[in-house]
Amino acid sequence: DKLFLPQDVVPAIPNIQNVMKIEACYTIGEVEVKFSVHSKTLYDIIKRYGIPKLKVGKFTYVPKSRIDEIFNS
C-alpha cells in the first residue's frame, strides 16, 4: 500500500509562502478592479495558465509578474 508510506518516503510539499512573497502579489479583488475582469473569467485564466495561488486568511494572492504578463500582452 502506498497510502501509509514511511515519513522519509512521503514527498514534501514546498512551503509556497517562502516562494511567493505577498508584497509581490495581487489579491483576487485587486486584479478584478485593476484589469476590469469578472471573477469567473479570472479564475478560468488562473487555471488555464497554471498560475500559483496563495491563500492567507480570507485573501487569495497571485503573483503580480504573471498577471501583468498575461493582461498587458
Side-chain angles (χ1 to χ4, degrees), residues 17-61:
Q17 287 182 322
N18 290 338
V19 177
M20 287 176 49
K21 301 295 181 194
I22 291 178
E23 300 82 31
C25 296
Y26 292 123
T27 64
I28 296 297
E30 289 173 335
V31 176
E32 291 172 356
V33 170
K34 182 173 182 172
F35 296 103
S36 301
V37 63
H38 190 269
S39 60
K40 172 71 169 118
T41 304
L42 179 57
Y43 279 105
D44 289 343
I45 289 169
I46 289 170
K47 187 174 180 178
R48 183 181 322 134
Y49 288 96
I51 297 172
K53 298 180 289 186
L54 173 62
K55 179 98 169 134
V56 178
K58 65 178 185 175
F59 297 104
T60 302
Y61 296 92

